[in-house]
Amino acid sequence: MDNSSSVAEFLLLGFSSLGDLQLVLFAVFLCLYLIILSGNMTIISVIFLDRSLHTPMYFFLGILSTSEIFYTIVILPKMLLNLLSVLRTISFLSCATQMFFFLGFAVTNCLLLGVMGYDRYAAICQPLHYPILMSWRVCGQLAATCIVSGFLISLVGTSLVFILPFCGSNKVNHYFCDISPVIRLACADTYINELVIFICGVLVLVVPLIFICISYGFIVRTILRIPSAEGKRKAFSTCASHLTVVIVHYGCASFVYLRPSSKYTSGKDRLVTVTYTIITPLLNPMVYSLRNKDVQLAIRKVIGKTGLSLKKL
């Protein structure tokens, strides 16, 4: 890739236009980053330690939380460093690597949310067949498919960007190497590359979202047939957390990626990107811990066991 480009490094402009406000942003983003790490690690630990959460739904939630951790590690440390630094450069290869892993984990998250929608459909609409439909073997295969597919799609998208020649400006008007701000710097016609990337974006975002909508259509129909109000409430409560994360994640990602890069607007897009690179990973553990009684109970049990262990010591 170095041979095809005269640009050896990129300059990430990020939030440089905000001047002294960058110190405030650093403090805010650092706090949010620590909350994201501790929140998702808590979810993973509780799912691992509490046997009552060893079910397909929480298996996928654990994988989603793990993916969210790596997803933020790819972007936030470099962003935090740039907020304190005058030199905001990133090498050509590092930029490509950052884009590859960011897209890989982002696509994996989209696919996992689709699989979690199917899990809720199987649990509520096909309860008698649920142990077969969502056996541990099937869960493992679905999780592996999401991860492998995510990084294969990411490889295609990243390759389509970095096979282009970069011979002019190296100023990326963003806080990380995202597709639109980088591909705009290419010194060649990017129409075909952008078209293929757009088609991949449609497949990644629209297809799972349609699948989730169809699943929830069947779920709502099944819930409405439940005679008791308590039964309806309990059935819907198992879906509310997943629906909340889906709406925020797909809404923000669709706004940025389901359009050509010519429609890219740096200020507005940075704000929306902050939402799905920081708020969504933060929202995931908060929603599942605050709205999910099973997780709340498991956290209390784990804390109780930890407290007893410390007393014995």
Side-chain angles (χ1 to χ4, degrees):
M1 286 187 293
D2 287 338
N3 294 332
S4 66
S5 173
S6 60
V7 173
E9 62 183 16
F10 291 102
L11 178 64
L12 297 172
L13 297 181
F15 301 96
S16 57
S17 61
L18 296 179
D20 292 339
L21 281 176
Q22 289 179 95
L23 293 176
V24 177
L25 286 179
F26 173 81
V28 172
F29 288 152
L30 178 61
C31 290
L32 292 176
Y33 182 45
L34 294 175
I35 293 171
I36 288 169
L37 292 180
S38 58
N40 281 290
M41 288 178 68
T42 299
I43 293 289
I44 295 166
S45 302
V46 167
I47 290 172
F48 178 76
L49 294 172
D50 195 300
R51 293 185 63 85
S52 67
L53 299 183
H54 291 184
T55 63
M57 181 174 76
Y58 295 110
F59 168 73
F60 290 117
L61 176 58
I63 295 175
L64 180 64
S65 293
T66 304
S67 180
E68 296 279 24
I69 288 174
F70 287 108
Y71 173 74
T72 52
I73 286 174
V74 170
I75 298 171
L76 294 190
K78 178 66 176 174
M79 184 188 76
L80 291 170
L81 186 64
N82 287 346
L83 284 170
L84 296 180
S85 174
V86 176
L87 190 66
R88 300 180 175 88
T89 56
I90 183 170
S91 71
F92 192 87
L93 182 60
S94 296
C95 187
T97 303
Q98 185 185 58
M99 185 182 292
F100 170 72
F101 281 105
F102 164 72
L103 291 176
F105 288 117
V107 176
T108 297
N109 291 348
C110 286
L111 299 178
L112 281 171
L113 288 171
V115 169
M116 291 171 77
Y118 172 72
D119 171 73
R120 291 299 81 212
Y121 159 77
I124 295 172
C125 302
Q126 303 288 338
L128 298 179
H129 297 97
Y130 184 71
I132 299 171
L133 292 173
M134 297 302 292
S135 66
W136 286 116
R137 181 181 177 183
V138 171
C139 289
Q141 291 172 341
L142 288 172
T145 301
C146 290
I147 295 167
V148 173
S149 300
F151 281 93
L152 283 176
I153 293 170
S154 173
L155 181 61
V156 172
T158 306
S159 299
L160 286 168
V161 173
F162 286 94
I163 59 172
L164 294 166
F166 292 87
C167 52
S169 173
N170 70 336
K171 295 179 180 179
V172 178
N173 199 4
H174 212 355
Y175 58 87
F176 72 99
C177 290
D178 203 1
I179 292 175
S180 292
V182 173
I183 204 170
R184 285 164 64 88
L185 303 178
C187 301
D189 182 15
T190 62
Y191 175 76
I192 298 299
N193 304 61
E194 289 188 61
L195 180 62
V196 176
I197 291 170
F198 178 77
I199 292 170
C200 289
V202 170
L203 291 174
V204 167
L205 291 169
V206 177
V207 173
L209 185 57
I210 291 173
F211 185 76
I212 290 170
C213 291
I214 293 171
S215 297
Y216 274 99
F218 285 111
I219 288 170
V220 169
R221 188 179 69 173
T222 302
I223 289 175
L224 291 176
R225 291 177 178 175
I226 298 174
S228 68
E230 178 62 22
K232 290 178 180 178
R233 187 199 62 78
K234 187 175 181 180
F236 184 73
S237 67
T238 65
C239 305
S241 302
H242 176 251
L243 267 178
T244 304
V245 175
V246 164
I247 291 168
V248 175
H249 185 92
Y250 278 93
C252 295
S254 298
F255 176 84
V256 174
Y257 292 107
L258 293 186
R259 58 183 179 155
S261 67
S262 59
K263 300 295 183 182
Y264 173 78
T265 53
S266 59
K268 189 184 293 184
D269 280 30
R270 267 203 302 269
L271 180 62
V272 176
T273 308
V274 165
T275 302
Y276 74 79
T277 56
I278 298 177
I279 304 303
T280 303
L282 178 68
L283 185 70
N284 182 39
M286 289 183 67
V287 167
Y288 277 99
S289 59
L290 293 176
R291 294 187 61 90
N292 193 299
K293 291 183 179 180
D294 292 336
V295 175
Q296 290 175 10
L297 181 61
I299 290 173
R300 284 195 287 267
K301 284 165 64 178
V302 170
I303 292 173
K305 289 179 181 178
T306 305
L308 288 173
S309 300
L310 290 173
K311 286 180 181 179
K312 289 179 182 179
L313 291 173

